[in-house]
Amino acid sequence: VVGCPCQYETYVVLVCAIAGLPNDARALYYLGNLPYDAQPAVSTSLWEKAATLDPAFSITWRNLAIAYQHTQIDNAQAKAIAAMESAVASKNPYPSNFSELDHLYQSANTPAQKRLAVLEKNQAVVVKNDEALGSLINLKTFVGKAEEAIKFLQNRTVSVWEGGTPFNSGQAWADANMTLGLQRLNAKQYKEAITFFEAAVKPPENLRAEQRFDPRTALISYWTGVAYAGMGDKVNAQKAWNEVINPTVVNLREGVAGGGTAAGGGMGPGGAAGARRTGAAAGGNTLAQGEQRYYQELAKQKLGNKAGTEEVFNELITSATTALSQPASTNSDAIPQTGRRQQPGRSSAATAHYNAGLGYVGLGNKAKAREEFTAALSASTDFLNAKLALDQL
């Protein structure tokens, strides 16, 4: 909760101030800061009155958003969003409020176009905060403005907080370049596609992105191979597809953009067969590894080895169906705590539908694949890889 004074010694002073000036919005706001940990309902009531008296003070609305998130009422999320919307609509909003609002929008599955419109309208303020800028960049990539996203990334030196960046700068860079690479590939502009794919795994130094293994390398390397094949370069095509099957080759050679505090870990060595054993044994890890396993099997096919690929595609569908039949987790789609440098995790339902879609693509059932990718986007409206997979059908 933001704001001072916060010392309990000020309690008597504030109570006396309110007794003499009951309509002093700032005194009510300050008093609300004191008991929040022990008596959140009392703080919420004081802040609500303060916001009514002085609706232009953005911090009061921001604190109310936090309070509403942790209130056990049916419309808690809607009230939290409305409060944060009031914060950013104030005369002098804090840049960080925009990232906090976008996290709330994301948790509520608000359409990406609406989220981006808010950030673009306030872009002059948004760019002052790395995390808010990260939301702007990711949404621009998602809606088809990847060129704009790359320009922002090229011209920004990202701050490092406690060993990480405020947003996943490496992933943002990879996503934007990967998106443009696929666009060029679909247009049969193979050389340009390769340029973007190669750039995807080499983030510029100003992003301060960590170099670590990323399972999306399989996706990028696979399509790099397809682009080389389109140019008639079989040697480099096969090299790229072998890198999909043996991801540690890429990891040791040049590293991959993981970047930021939200970077996902990858799978260890073992290639496609190892992936199959790991996924089957780990159970819950099958969903997380689904995309990598899918592209590994596609690469095997390109290299002339079709043994077991149908089995893997069916397993992706089966594991997704099993996951979707389980009771919804109470944690996977929880409302993120405003003010913390975190993003809500991709819902397991969205990931399951995405994996099922990949499985159906592998089996040649495009109609079912389209259904699953659409369901993934319904469950998580900014799921970039599901959107890209849908575009590839």
Side-chain angles (χ1 to χ4, degrees):
V1 177
V2 175
C4 285
C6 296
Q7 297 82 12
Y8 275 99
E9 290 81 358
T10 63
Y11 177 82
V12 175
V13 176
L14 290 170
V15 169
C16 291
I18 293 171
L21 298 169
N23 293 325
D24 187 333
R26 203 58 59 89
L28 289 164
Y29 159 72
Y30 287 139
L31 184 60
N33 291 343
L34 298 178
Y36 179 75
D37 288 338
Q39 297 176 297
V42 173
S43 294
T44 301
S45 178
L46 290 166
W47 289 332
E48 287 175 336
K49 186 174 181 180
T52 300
L53 293 169
D54 184 8
F57 190 47
S58 64
I59 297 178
T60 305
W61 291 113
R62 190 264 188 181
N63 284 6
L64 278 171
I66 294 176
Y68 291 144
Q69 287 177 65
H70 298 88
T71 301
Q72 300 300 316
I73 56 176
D74 292 339
N75 62 341
Q77 188 178 66
K79 292 189 72 172
I81 289 174
M84 194 60 75
E85 286 176 334
S86 294
V88 302
S90 63
K91 185 177 181 180
N92 296 302
Y94 286 85
S96 59
N97 290 161
F98 288 96
S99 65
E100 294 167 341
L101 174 60
D102 192 62
H103 290 331
L104 286 171
Y105 277 153
Q106 187 179 40
S107 70
N109 222 18
T110 302
Q113 290 77 5
K114 177 181 177 179
R115 292 164 55 191
L116 179 59
V118 172
L119 296 174
E120 287 185 328
K121 180 180 178 181
N122 299 277
Q123 189 164 298
V125 179
V126 168
V127 297
K128 296 178 181 179
N129 176 268
D130 281 350
E131 193 167 8
L133 177 60
S135 295
L136 175 68
I137 287 169
N138 290 330
L139 289 168
K140 279 184 177 291
T141 295
F142 183 85
V143 304
K145 298 180 179 181
E147 292 93 344
E148 295 180 30
I150 288 176
K151 287 181 180 178
F152 275 117
L153 290 164
Q154 288 174 329
N155 296 310
R156 182 68 164 228
T157 298
V158 178
S159 302
V160 177
W161 297 359
E162 298 176 4
T165 54
F167 76 100
N168 196 327
S169 56
Q171 179 176 319
W173 175 262
D175 285 346
N177 281 280
M178 178 179 67
T179 299
L180 291 174
L182 288 172
Q183 289 177 0
R184 300 301 189 274
L185 181 64
N186 292 337
K188 297 184 179 181
Q189 298 172 358
Y190 301 120
K191 185 176 181 179
E192 292 85 347
I194 292 168
T195 298
F196 282 115
F197 291 143
E198 290 179 345
V201 296
K202 297 177 182 177
E205 292 184 5
N206 61 287
L207 293 183
R208 300 181 178 180
E210 298 177 17
Q211 300 294 302
R212 64 173 67 178
F213 183 80
D214 190 315
R216 284 169 309 148
T217 307
L219 184 158
I220 296 170
S221 293
Y222 173 77
W223 290 116
T224 300
V226 172
Y228 274 121
M231 295 174 62
D233 187 342
K234 293 183 179 180
V235 173
N236 278 310
Q238 291 179 350
K239 180 180 178 182
W241 290 326
N242 274 306
E243 288 173 347
V244 179
I245 298 172
N246 301 289
T248 52
V249 174
V250 180
N251 185 39
L252 293 173
R253 186 188 65 193
E254 60 188 4
V256 180
T261 57
M267 184 183 67
R276 189 179 305 117
R277 289 193 300 270
T278 303
N285 288 337
T286 303
L287 284 182
Q289 297 171 354
E291 180 181 270
Q292 184 176 357
R293 298 175 65 207
Y294 168 74
Y295 282 105
Q296 286 176 330
E297 296 307 313
L298 290 188
K300 284 175 58 182
Q301 288 184 332
K302 290 291 188 181
L303 292 169
N305 180 9
K306 298 183 179 181
T309 56
E310 185 172 325
E311 175 189 343
V312 172
F313 296 145
N314 278 313
E315 186 181 335
L316 290 177
I317 297 169
T318 301
S319 63
T321 302
T322 300
L324 290 168
S325 68
Q326 300 300 317
S329 169
T330 57
N331 296 321
S332 61
D333 300 305
I335 302 175
Q337 183 172 342
T338 301
R340 294 189 179 274
R341 293 186 298 110
Q342 63 182 27
Q343 293 197 1
R346 182 76 60 203
S347 74
S348 57
T351 303
H353 283 299
Y354 174 58
N355 283 3
L358 294 177
Y360 282 120
V361 174
L363 295 174
N365 191 337
K366 291 187 177 181
K368 287 293 294 182
R370 187 172 288 105
E371 289 180 13
E372 294 294 343
F373 293 143
T374 301
L377 286 167
S378 295
S380 185
T381 57
D382 63 351
F383 197 161
L384 178 62
N385 282 13
K387 180 176 181 291
L388 294 176
L390 194 59
D391 292 342
Q392 293 299 112
L393 290 179

